[in-house]
Amino acid sequence: MPVDFIALANAGVQKLQPYQPGKPIEELERELGITDIVKLASNESPLGPSPRAMSAVRSVLEDIHRYPDGSGFRLKAALAERLGMRAAQITLGNGSNDVLELIARAWLKPDDETVFSEHAFAVYPLVTLACSARPVAVPAREYGHDLDAMLEAIGERTRIVFIANPNNPTGTWISSSTLDHFLARVPKDVLVVLDEAYFEYVEESAYPDGMTRLAAHPNLVVTRTFSKIYGLSGLRMGYGVSSVDIADVLNRVRQPFNCNSLALAAAEAALDDADYLEYNRNLNTTGLAQVAEGLEQLNLEYIPSVGNFIAFDCGREAMPVYEALLREGVIVRPIAGYGMPNHLRVSIGLPEENERFLEALARVLG
């Protein structure tokens, strides 16, 4: 008689569905035989990695038969200097997703709770359920975080609050005053995870830097990534910064060698390429304006964004629009799984890629 291994999994895992990433270019090529494809689905940098990062990767290729530095000493030292922190406060991860999972594994027990916003990053409920804990999604306010409501949702079993700033997939953001008001009132034994994956794109003067809040709030963890503006998505490198005590706990559950040699070298080099970072940021700012203007010309409502993507309302069920765009060779991201069935999210690409998306969208919408 066959064994039902799903039934043998823990209760939280039984409720999960695998995370659905943006459709890869190769998959669309296989399915439709299209070869001229623009992928604007996964918030990747359209410029790719900096030349310095590429050079660093090439310099370590001959040593990939050796294990990487399990402590990530050089990258931690570079991050500590850049951020004004101690290396002992930093936890390196295989992408910032890895750090989010480490946090959940370290502090969540069955029947504990996490609190996060409706329309927030899908990984928050995923890592919660994987630990057989209970995810508590708080209704959004204008597609963004309602921190007052999230504060009210914290209960005796709450162990972690996840806050994405800016938020993915909506691009909304929380101001300094709003965040500080929340941090001052959250119970000190509840971890607050401030996910700043898109931090480097934001140019709003009232946007808070989570790193500057760490000293005053020992229960705060700030996560960032090299997958977005640094263009290292394929190498998977992220990090968390926290108190030394929290970092010590995370490093107890972190897998040995969770960050590979190529990623460590590339991230260290990319961190030092300020000119490339600024060029990428300026390109994104121009692209955001280009896409927003194009959506307005199509009479489509969109959510103002400070990230490298825009979520827009198709005015109808979005999945047929998404599928029609695929046939045009343009990959965007459906976000019905985030409770937004009429919206699509489009990443900001190069100017010609943005224009191709807008032209294809105009044809699809007739």
Side-chain angles (χ1 to χ4, degrees):
M1 186 173 181
V3 176
D4 186 350
F5 286 101
I6 295 178
L8 293 175
N10 75 50
V13 172
Q14 291 180 37
K15 299 175 184 177
L16 286 174
Q17 294 294 326
Y19 178 80
Q20 294 296 322
K23 182 182 285 291
I25 291 174
E26 296 82 358
E27 184 176 316
L28 185 57
E29 289 176 342
R30 290 194 302 269
E31 290 178 349
L32 299 182
I34 298 173
T35 56
D36 182 15
I37 297 171
V38 172
K39 184 185 178 188
L40 301 172
S42 299
N43 302 343
E44 298 152 334
S45 166
L47 293 177
S50 83
R52 293 188 189 184
M54 292 298 292
S55 178
V57 167
R58 285 190 287 267
S59 72
V60 297
L61 281 175
E62 292 184 358
D63 292 323
I64 59 173
H65 60 297
R66 306 291 186 190
Y67 283 108
D69 174 6
S71 69
F73 176 85
R74 288 175 57 93
L75 178 57
K76 279 187 178 181
L79 284 167
E81 181 179 0
R82 177 63 55 85
L83 300 171
M85 301 291 168
R86 297 165 56 188
Q89 294 178 258
I90 298 170
T91 305
L92 299 180
N94 185 34
S96 57
N97 278 17
D98 189 25
V99 181
L100 298 176
E101 184 177 11
L102 292 176
I103 293 167
R105 286 173 52 204
W107 277 282
L108 290 180
K109 301 182 297 296
D111 299 323
D112 283 345
E113 294 180 353
T114 64
V115 171
F116 49 87
S117 177
E118 178 189 25
H119 312 314
F121 190 31
V123 165
Y124 307 151
L126 189 155
V127 297
T128 301
L129 288 168
C131 296
S132 291
R134 178 174 174 261
V136 177
V138 176
R141 178 187 294 172
E142 297 180 349
Y143 296 106
H145 290 57
D146 184 343
L147 290 191
D148 288 337
M150 291 174 67
L151 193 64
E152 292 179 5
I154 295 174
E156 292 183 358
R157 302 204 65 87
T158 304
R159 296 293 173 264
I160 302 170
V161 177
F162 291 105
I163 299 173
N165 197 31
N167 184 51
N168 173 28
T170 62
T172 53
W173 60 285
I174 298 163
S175 70
S176 293
S177 59
T178 302
L179 178 64
D180 290 338
H181 182 271
F182 176 85
L183 291 174
R185 287 159 177 76
V186 71
K188 302 307 179 187
D189 61 347
V190 172
L191 280 178
V192 178
V193 180
L194 187 59
D195 182 350
E196 293 185 338
Y198 301 91
F199 170 85
E200 293 86 359
Y201 287 108
V202 187
E203 298 181 302
E204 300 288 342
S205 60
Y207 175 77
D209 180 347
M211 299 294 173
T212 65
R213 273 77 178 167
L214 286 168
H217 301 285
N219 58 330
L220 178 63
V221 184
V222 180
T223 63
R224 291 184 185 170
T225 184
F226 286 90
S227 293
K228 304 305 178 187
I229 201 168
Y230 290 102
L232 299 178
S233 299
L235 287 178
R236 311 301 299 126
M237 174 57 68
Y239 60 97
V241 186
S242 62
S243 69
V244 172
D245 288 345
I246 288 176
D248 176 56
V249 173
L250 294 177
N251 279 301
R252 297 181 190 200
V253 296
R254 181 178 61 85
Q255 292 293 317
F257 313 117
N258 65 326
C259 299
N260 69 74
S261 300
L262 307 185
L264 288 168
E268 183 185 351
L271 193 66
D272 198 38
D273 198 342
D275 291 341
Y276 194 79
L277 187 77
E278 184 65 19
Y279 181 76
N280 206 334
R281 182 186 296 113
N282 291 338
L283 180 73
N284 184 72
T285 300
T286 303
L288 275 172
Q290 177 188 6
V291 172
E293 181 180 354
L295 293 172
E296 290 171 2
Q297 290 176 357
L298 293 172
N299 295 316
L300 295 175
E301 294 185 0
Y302 63 90
I303 304 170
S305 172
V306 295
N308 66 334
F309 55 87
I310 293 180
F312 63 95
D313 190 340
C314 296
R316 65 186 81 170
E317 184 184 353
M319 188 56 69
V321 178
Y322 163 74
E323 293 171 345
L325 285 170
L326 291 180
R327 292 189 289 272
E328 295 277 344
V330 177
I331 309 175
V332 296
R333 186 68 180 271
I335 49 177
Y338 289 86
M340 302 171 69
N342 289 353
H343 283 76
L344 294 173
R345 189 194 69 192
V346 57
S347 305
I348 303 303
L350 299 172
E352 59 270 24
E353 293 173 327
N354 301 332
E355 187 61 31
R356 179 169 169 187
F357 155 71
L358 291 168
E359 290 174 353
L361 183 62
R363 287 193 295 271
V364 164
L365 295 177

